[in-house]
Structure formats: structure tokens, C-alpha cells
Amino acid sequence: MPEKKSPLFFAGTSHPELAGQIAKEMKLALGKIEIEKFPDGEIGVQLLENVQGRDVVVLQTIARHPNHYLMELLLIADALRRASARRIIAAIPYLGYARQDRKEGNGPIAAKVVASALERGGIDHLLTVDLHAEQIQGFFGIPVENLYARPLLLKRVADVGDVVVVTPDLGRVKLARAFAEDLKADFAVVDKRRVSAKQVEARALVGDVRGKDVLLVDDICSTGETLKMASLVCQKAGAKRIFAAVTHGLMMGSALESGAIDKMWITNTAPSPSAVKKPILETVSVAPLLAQAILAI
Ligand code: R5P
């Protein structure tokens, strides 16, 4: 029997901190690779070690500069394939474009475009965290492991005691129910309508939060508008304290500054937001979750 070698672990430039944490968890050194950005914006990649016949994991989160990091990942995958890697496993904690998972008007299905590009780019296996919609797995013809951040977030949330779990988005009812079952709590729903990419309207609250603490749960916080509007609806409905637990803290806007959230937990599927310096924010690392899944594959 040939000797079973441990996987090689490479990272793109999207999230060096998480790459370091995962490498530490797996007790592996990061693979040597040179990635540079040319003056015209193009990307250059050079593998600096032999990958022939090896299983290779590449960490790249497609957040913040999704187009750049997606292209970088495709170039790394192509370099690995041409250097005869045995299997390429992409660990993409935040799969950018996942929210565009159906045809709206005359638009594209961007999530499907990304899935096809990754697959044709030579990725054999995908690991990701809290996909925006489970059915996106069906856009891929390769195995997709969708890992859940809920247990990691729950460990922190457990300290807040009795809460009503509230989803600020109808699409997250299943997530809210799962949190509510774990916390043995009730759950409620905010009726939200998206007016534009940067603006949402939260109308009514279906459920009762009067005199209670609230835990808002969602998969993504991007502009923060959804959480802000939901927190204000809960405040108006008589909630005591308002907490939030969100997997992907993109935190692109400053909307939360004017919301009513007392404390918020996010994971590090995207790099730390530099714009949001509020003390309410606490980050939970997904490194142990990803390391465990990589080793299991
Ligand atoms: C929507 O489907 C998601 O679950 C989030 O509610 C949404 O992506 C949040 O976006 P934003 O922070 O920009 O309101």
C-alpha cells in the first residue's frame, strides 16, 4: 500500500488570519505560493512547492472583493491541476454570490455561474459554511459539504439566558426554528421587504417579544439594514435587550450604529470588518469547524 500523505494546505490572499488559524488547528504548515497583483489589476500565481499526486486544500473566502478572490482561486486551482495535484478541495467559508440563486427579471443566476466556474476550474470538492440556501448544493456536480456555524454561535449565546429567537428575514425561518429548539425558546418573525440592494423595510412582527430579550438570527449581515430595521421593530414591540447572532459578518455599512442591538456575535468567515468598531461586536472563529471537516475528507 502506498504511504498515505497528509493534505497540503494553501491559501489565497482573502483571509490570512483564518488561514493561519486553520493551519494551526491541523498542525500543518501553509503551502508555499506566490500571489501578486499586477499594476493593471491582473493576478499572477506561482506554486513554490511540489504538489504532484497530493490532495490539496485551498482556503479562499469570496467576501469583500468577491470578483478578485474568485479569480484568484480559479488561477490557483488551474496551477494545481497543471502541476498534477491529485484532488483539489476548496474551503470557501463564505460563498459570494450565493444570494443571487434564482432568476429575477432578466438577470443571471449568479450563484450558478460561480458554481460552474469552480467546477470547470478543476475543484473536486467544496467545503463551505452556512450556504445561503441549501439547494445551491445542486448547482454543483461535485460533493459540497455545508457546515453549520450554529453550534459555535450557540456556545456564546447560551450566556444570555431566556430569549425569544427572531428572524429578520422570512427566508431564515428554518434557522430561527433550529436556534429556538436548541435554546428551548419561542420564535417570532419580522415581515421584511427589500426595497433596493441598500434599503429594506421591516413592517410587522409576527410573535410576541414584550418584556423579553430577543435574539435576532440571520446568515448574512451585509449593509446591516435588515438587522437594524428588525431591531427597531422589536424595540417598538417592547423587547428588553436585543442580541444578534449572524454567521457571515460582511458588515459593509454603518446601519447598525443607529439600530437597537446591544450585542452581536458573528463568525470570521469574512475578515474582521475595519469599519465597524462597536464594542457590541464579538467574533467566533470557524477554524476548528473547517479544520475538522478538512481532516475528515
Ligand atoms: C437575506 O436573504 C439574508 O438572509 C440577509 O437578511 C441579508 O443578506 C442581509 O443583508 P443586509 O445586511 O444588507 O440587509
Side-chain angles (χ1 to χ4, degrees):
M1 277 250 298
E3 184 200 349
K4 198 171 170 228
K5 289 186 172 160
S6 55
L8 294 172
F9 180 52
F10 286 88
T13 61
S14 59
H15 203 337
E17 192 187 337
L18 180 61
Q21 290 175 4
I22 296 174
K24 198 167 162 202
E25 289 277 340
M26 294 197 303
K27 299 186 176 60
L28 287 178
L30 269 167
K32 293 192 183 67
I33 187 169
E34 197 174 83
I35 302 173
E36 61 179 327
K37 195 169 162 193
F38 296 124
D40 61 358
E42 289 185 5
I43 302 161
V45 170
Q46 280 297 321
L47 300 174
L48 301 180
E49 60 185 279
N50 183 8
V51 299
Q52 194 174 15
R54 302 292 295 271
D55 283 354
V56 180
V57 180
V58 186
L59 176 85
Q60 181 79 313
T61 201
I62 302 184
R64 295 203 195 289
H65 302 287
N67 306 329
H68 182 85
Y69 293 136
L70 175 63
M71 188 63 193
E72 203 183 89
L73 176 59
L74 292 171
L75 296 182
I76 296 171
D78 191 66
L80 290 168
R81 207 163 43 86
R82 292 177 193 279
S84 305
R86 191 176 84 103
R87 211 159 51 128
I88 305 170
I89 299 150
I92 307 180
Y94 177 71
L95 185 70
Y97 286 103
R99 282 183 289 180
Q100 295 185 50
D101 58 357
R102 59 195 169 275
K103 188 164 150 52
E104 300 262 10
N106 286 325
I109 304 181
K112 171 65 184 157
V113 173
V114 170
S116 302
L118 291 172
E119 206 175 323
R120 289 193 194 144
I123 305 288
D124 297 296
H125 205 127
L126 172 66
L127 275 178
T128 187
V129 181
D130 284 348
L131 260 182
H132 182 62
E134 295 268 7
Q135 23 328 351
I136 292 172
Q137 292 176 57
F139 291 175
F140 293 85
I142 54 172
V144 177
E145 317 286 341
N146 183 27
L147 309 170
Y148 300 121
R150 198 175 80 249
L152 294 172
L153 290 165
L154 272 169
K155 277 191 196 155
R156 306 294 175 98
V157 171
D159 297 339
V160 306
D162 272 355
V163 288
V164 179
V165 178
V166 178
T167 169
D169 184 282
L170 284 173
R172 305 277 83 75
V173 168
K174 212 173 138 198
L175 179 74
R177 192 183 293 133
F179 266 94
E181 276 170 13
D182 289 332
L183 292 166
K184 300 197 178 20
D186 290 334
F187 83 94
V189 179
V190 173
D191 177 20
K192 153 188 149 181
R193 194 174 70 91
R194 184 166 284 285
V195 183
S196 69
K198 290 185 183 160
Q199 207 191 342
V200 300
E201 253 176 37
R203 295 163 174 181
L205 175 75
V206 185
D208 185 18
V209 299
R210 183 158 301 280
K212 296 181 183 161
D213 287 341
V214 157
L215 176 67
L216 291 164
V217 295
D218 207 341
D219 62 334
I220 302 167
C221 176
S222 179
T223 62
E225 280 294 323
T226 299
L227 284 179
K228 171 188 152 185
M229 299 312 287
S231 68
L232 295 175
V233 165
C234 291
Q235 190 182 49
K236 203 166 158 206
K240 253 188 348 195
R241 293 178 300 171
I242 302 173
F243 305 102
V246 175
T247 306
H248 308 293
L250 305 181
M251 321 303 284
M252 303 310 290
S254 53
L256 290 178
E257 305 284 333
S258 51
I261 295 173
D262 294 289
K263 181 151 190 91
M264 175 168 174
W265 295 273
I266 56 173
T267 77
N268 59 348
T269 55
S272 305
S274 50
V276 186
K277 294 208 166 57
K278 286 196 87 174
I280 61 159
L281 206 60
E282 196 179 307
T283 305
V284 183
S285 180
V286 290
L289 186 70
L290 283 163
Q292 212 178 15
I294 291 169
L295 293 174
I297 294 175

